[in-house]
């Protein structure tokens, strides 16, 4: 959840028109028109924790779309990764692979990426990762550095 860089819009997560409160989407509300449009629109997955880049062209989001084990009726099955789409939701790239066996940062039991925040120069994103096996007892901070000013 956050403000656009020009303060003319806000981004938020909500379960608008969903039958399950754990299938959130991200919306952008124009503060002049008061109209809200979906940035994500996936009735099966949980998408939340948007980070808005300093230039406003890119965002980071947490999404469960990575992981087929996700069942919105059982929170113990939640797994989520960090994604980088344009601010309208297009051109999405998966940034993390914490839940992919065989990758360097995989942890048995699953992970959930949480809140993310961009550096002022748009070159880095700081985000959290919780480990499902000990979710209430563990939390990690990760720093992702882009090759260039991705967020400007």
């Amino acid at each position: 959840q956050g403000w656009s860089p020009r303060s003319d819009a806000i981004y938020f997560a909500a379960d608008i028109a969903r039958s399950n409160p754990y299938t959130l989407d991200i919306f952008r509300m124009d503060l002049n028109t008061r109209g809200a449009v979906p940035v994500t629109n996936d009735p099966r997955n949980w998408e939340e924790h948007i980070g808005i880049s300093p230039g406003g062209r890119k965002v980071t989001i947490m999404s469960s779309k990575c992981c087929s084990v996700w069942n919105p009726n059982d929170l113990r099955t939640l797994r989520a990764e960090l994604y980088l789409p344009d601010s309208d939701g297009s051109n999405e790239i998966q940034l993390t692979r914490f839940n992919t066996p065989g990758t360097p940062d995989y942890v048995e039991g699953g992970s959930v990426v949480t809140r993310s925040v961009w550096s002022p120069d748009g070159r880095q994103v700081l985000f959290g990762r919780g480990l499902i096996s000990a979710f209430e007892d563990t939390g990690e901070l990760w720093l992702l550095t882009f090759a260039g000013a991705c967020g400007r």
Side-chain angles (χ1 to χ4, degrees), residues 58-78:
K58 294 285 189 180
V59 296
T60 47
I61 61 169
M62 173 273 259
S63 177
S64 66
K65 73 177 67 181
C66 61
C67 307
S68 60
V69 300
W70 169 233
N71 174 356
N73 296 312
D74 184 357
L75 288 179
R76 296 169 298 172
T77 66
L78 179 62

Side-chain angles (χ1 to χ4, degrees), residues 111-125:
S111 298
V112 172
V113 168
T114 59
R115 183 169 160 74
S116 60
V117 62
W118 288 74
S119 64
D121 65 4
R123 293 180 180 272
Q124 295 179 307
V125 173

Side-chain angles (χ1 to χ4, degrees), residues 77-145:
T77 66
L78 179 62
R79 309 290 186 270
E81 300 286 359
L82 188 67
Y83 291 82
L84 177 74
D86 291 344
S87 61
D88 65 358
S90 64
N91 301 312
E92 183 176 83
I93 299 169
Q94 185 175 338
L95 294 176
T96 61
R97 301 211 180 272
F98 295 135
N99 294 290
T100 304
T103 58
D105 299 311
Y106 173 75
V107 175
E108 186 72 34
S111 298
V112 172
V113 168
T114 59
R115 183 169 160 74
S116 60
V117 62
W118 288 74
S119 64
D121 65 4
R123 293 180 180 272
Q124 295 179 307
V125 173
L126 179 69
F127 63 95
R129 174 174 89 159
L131 305 176
I132 299 300
S133 59
F135 198 69
E136 295 190 17
D137 298 326
T138 62
E140 302 171 346
L141 287 177
W142 286 71
L143 183 63
L144 185 147
T145 302

